[in-house]
Amino acid sequence: MLLHYYKQLLNQNSALNNEVNTLRTYVDAYQRKKSNSSFGGSLLALSNLLTAFAVNLLTNKEIIPGMVLLVPGLIMLVIGLYFSYKDSN
C-alpha cells in the first residue's frame, strides 16, 4: 500500500511539474508580447508626431522638408504596426 501511495505522489508531482513548465512558457510569451506592444506603441506615437509636422509643412508649400519628415513617419508607422500585432509564437 505504501508503494502505491508513493507511485501516486510521483505521478502527481510529475503532473504538477509539467503544469509549472507550461505556465512559465505562457508568462514568457506574455512578457515578450507586452514588450513588443510597448515598442510598437512608442513608434506609432512618434510616427504620428512626424506625420503631423510633415502635413503642416506640406500644406505650407515646403515640399522637401515635409517629405523628409513624412517618409520616416510612414516607415515608423509600418514598423510600429508590425511590432504591435506581431505574433509571439
Side-chain angles (χ1 to χ4, degrees):
M1 206 57 187
L2 184 62
L3 289 176
H4 173 69
Y5 286 130
Y6 178 72
K7 185 175 180 182
Q8 189 177 15
L9 285 175
L10 283 179
N11 287 340
Q12 287 177 352
N13 189 23
S14 178
L16 289 174
N17 282 335
N18 286 339
E19 187 176 351
V20 166
N21 287 337
T22 301
L23 294 175
R24 283 186 183 150
T25 304
Y26 288 152
V27 167
D28 291 341
Y30 287 137
Q31 287 177 347
R32 188 172 44 246
K33 181 66 175 175
K34 181 180 173 185
S35 174
N36 286 342
S37 297
S38 298
F39 182 67
S42 300
L43 280 178
L44 289 172
L46 187 58
S47 167
N48 285 338
L49 287 173
L50 286 177
T51 305
F53 284 122
V55 168
N56 189 17
L57 289 173
L58 288 172
T59 56
N60 289 332
K61 307 283 192 244
E62 297 181 27
I63 304 297
I64 300 299
M67 293 305 277
V68 166
L69 289 176
L70 183 64
V71 171
L74 293 176
I75 291 171
M76 284 185 199
L77 174 72
V78 171
I79 294 171
L81 286 174
Y82 172 75
F83 276 107
S84 292
Y85 294 111
K86 183 179 176 182
D87 198 22
S88 61
N89 285 335

